[in-house]
Every structure is written in structure tokens, then in C-alpha cells.
């Protein structure tokens, strides 16, 4: 299986898949887009629009070679994300609440589909329980271990407008911001 780095899988893609990944990434808000800093509102209507949004996000996530994607990343300020709850299980989770988290934490490199080309060390609880609703409104709860617990914490952060830049060390943050600063091209 590909190495999982936060929200992103690191693997070589064939040219057709790589083309699809680029098209998907073009539909995902990129840092410093303002939507990424906003706090999303709870989902109230579990209607066809929400189910269509969840389906679209799952497809985008797969095409972008991600293992998680939050609605804020497609400019929709609703508390909804899609993620791999297991290797072959992709689910949508609305109004997620982390109801248990281990005191044991681990620092690992995380990538983000909205901050391309950057990997930052982030400390997360190794196991969590997360509860919420699926796209039909049914109550769900997942007990997660790494790497899926890490992804779910990353996506929950997105719904609060928190990026890995805020979760990493001051040094790593400074280095990342320097690499993200647009370069002035002469000539
Ligand atoms: Zn992300």
C-alpha cells in the first residue's frame, strides 16, 4: 500500500491517473484561500444536495489521491468530510465530534491536499473515537487507529479552519511559509 502522509497518499501514478489527479486538485481550494481559514457550520439538512456533495467529495478525494477531504476544501462551509475509515472503506461524516482520544500521541509528517508539496510534522493522538452522522443523517461512530485516526483529526481541524501550518513546530512552519510564498519571476 502507498505511504500515507496525513491527507495525502504518496505513490507513483500512471500518466492517466496523474492527469486525473491534477484536474481534481484544481477543484480543491489551495492555501492561502480564505475558505480554508473559516469555521464551518453544522449540517442541518440531510437532503439530496448533501448526498450529492458527499459523492462529489469522495470522487474528488480518490482522484486527488487523498485519503480525506473536508467540505471547506471545496469552498462549502458545512461540517462534512469524507475519509478512509479503513483501507477499503470510504465514508462521509457530518457534524463530527471526537468523543475519545488517547493520551498517547505520535509525531508524523502530514501533507494536505490544500497545501501541495509541503510535509509537516504534526503531533496527534494515536487512537480516537469519533461520532457524527452519515450523509443520510444516521448516527455513526468510528474507533480509529493510525493512520485513519490521524486523517480524521486532520479533517476535523479543517472544519474549524485549522491547517497543519498551525499544528506544526515554529521552525517547520517558518520553513513551509517561506516555500509557499509566491516567487517573483523576472524576465
Ligand atoms: Zn488538509
Amino acid at each position: 500500500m502507498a505511504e500515507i502522509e496525513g491527507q495525502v497518499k504518496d505513490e507513483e501514478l500512471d500518466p492517466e491517473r496523474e492527469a486525473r489527479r491534477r484536474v481534481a486538485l484544481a477543484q480543491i481550494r489551495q492555501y492561502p484561500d480564505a475558505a480554508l481559514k473559516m469555521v464551518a457550520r453544522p449540517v442541518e439538512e440531510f437532503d439530496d444536495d448533501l448526498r450529492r456533495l458527499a459523492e462529489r467529495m469522495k470522487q474528488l478525494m480518490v482522484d486527488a489521491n487523498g485519503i480525506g477531504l473536508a467540505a471547506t476544501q471545496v469552498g462549502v462551509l458545512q461540517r462534512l468530510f469524507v475519509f478512509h475509515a479503513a483501507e477499503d472503506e470510504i465514508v462521509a461524516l457530518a457534524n463530527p465530534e471526537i468523543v475519545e482520544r488517547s493520551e498517547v500521541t505520535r509525531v508524523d509528517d502530514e501533507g494536505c491536499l490544500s497545501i501541495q508539496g509541503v510535509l509537516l510534522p504534526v503531533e496527534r493522538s494515536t487512537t480516537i473515537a469519533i461520532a457524527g452522522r452519515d450523509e443520510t443523517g444516521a448516527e455513526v461512530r468510528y474507533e480509529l487507529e493510525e493512520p485513519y485516526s490521524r486523517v480524521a483529526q486532520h479533517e476535523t481541524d479543517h472544519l474549524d479552519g485549522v491547517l497543519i501550518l498551525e499544528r506544526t513546530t515554529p521552525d517547520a512552519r517558518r520553513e513551509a511559509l517561506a516555500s509557499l510564498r509566491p516567487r517573483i519571476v523576472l524576465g
Side-chain angles (χ1 to χ4, degrees), residues 7 68 70 73 111-115 154-155 158 162-164:
Q7 196 179 29
Q73 293 180 277
C112 178
L113 293 173
S114 293
I115 314 174
H154 180 117
E155 304 313 327
H158 269 302
V162 174
L163 300 173
I164 52 176

Side-chain angles (χ1 to χ4, degrees), residues 95-149:
N95 304 340
E97 301 281 349
I98 296 172
V99 290
E100 282 169 32
R101 60 169 80 234
S102 62
E103 279 175 29
V104 179
T105 61
R106 202 166 74 82
V107 176
D108 201 2
D109 281 347
E110 286 188 24
C112 178
L113 293 173
S114 293
I115 314 174
Q116 289 174 52
V118 167
L119 280 179
L120 294 172
V122 178
E123 183 177 14
R124 304 276 191 195
S125 292
T126 54
T127 63
I128 64 164
I130 191 165
R133 293 180 185 273
D134 69 12
E135 62 267 63
T136 70
E139 286 185 14
V140 289
R141 177 187 165 108
Y142 297 96
E143 318 278 334
L144 301 171
E145 295 178 357
E146 290 208 80
Y148 310 106
S149 55

Side-chain angles (χ1 to χ4, degrees), residues 41-47 50 77-80 94-95 133 136-137:
R41 294 178 299 270
V43 173
E44 284 168 4
E45 306 264 357
F46 292 86
D47 54 10
L50 185 80
L77 298 178
Q78 294 209 61
R79 301 191 79 79
L80 172 76
N95 304 340
R133 293 180 185 273
T136 70

Side-chain angles (χ1 to χ4, degrees), residues 1-171:
M1 181 178 179
E3 192 178 348
I4 291 174
E5 291 164 336
Q7 196 179 29
V8 185
K9 275 191 249 179
D10 180 29
E11 65 186 349
E12 290 286 318
L13 299 176
D14 63 51
E16 192 267 333
R17 276 285 289 117
E18 177 58 23
R20 229 177 325 137
R21 187 180 75 92
R22 286 175 185 284
V23 170
L25 283 172
Q27 295 174 67
I28 294 172
R29 302 292 179 100
Q30 296 299 313
Y31 180 87
D33 188 294
L36 298 171
K37 299 290 290 177
M38 292 181 178
V39 178
R41 294 178 299 270
V43 173
E44 284 168 4
E45 306 264 357
F46 292 86
D47 54 10
D48 286 347
D49 283 349
L50 185 80
R51 283 184 280 280
R52 267 193 294 270
L53 174 64
E55 278 317 301
R56 181 177 153 237
M57 286 169 56
K58 285 177 187 175
Q59 190 60 53
L60 268 182
M61 181 193 86
V62 169
D63 286 350
N65 216 32
I67 57 166
L69 183 68
T72 47
Q73 293 180 277
V74 292
V76 177
L77 298 178
Q78 294 209 61
R79 301 191 79 79
L80 172 76
F81 63 70
V82 298
F83 79 116
H84 272 272
E87 188 176 346
D88 51 6
E89 185 184 12
I90 297 174
V91 298
L93 190 56
N95 304 340
E97 301 281 349
I98 296 172
V99 290
E100 282 169 32
R101 60 169 80 234
S102 62
E103 279 175 29
V104 179
T105 61
R106 202 166 74 82
V107 176
D108 201 2
D109 281 347
E110 286 188 24
C112 178
L113 293 173
S114 293
I115 314 174
Q116 289 174 52
V118 167
L119 280 179
L120 294 172
V122 178
E123 183 177 14
R124 304 276 191 195
S125 292
T126 54
T127 63
I128 64 164
I130 191 165
R133 293 180 185 273
D134 69 12
E135 62 267 63
T136 70
E139 286 185 14
V140 289
R141 177 187 165 108
Y142 297 96
E143 318 278 334
L144 301 171
E145 295 178 357
E146 290 208 80
Y148 310 106
S149 55
R150 179 172 293 276
V151 180
Q153 290 170 85
H154 180 117
E155 304 313 327
T156 304
D157 272 354
H158 269 302
L159 302 183
D160 292 322
V162 174
L163 300 173
I164 52 176
L165 292 163
E166 278 91 58
R167 288 281 188 212
T168 193
T169 63
D171 280 353

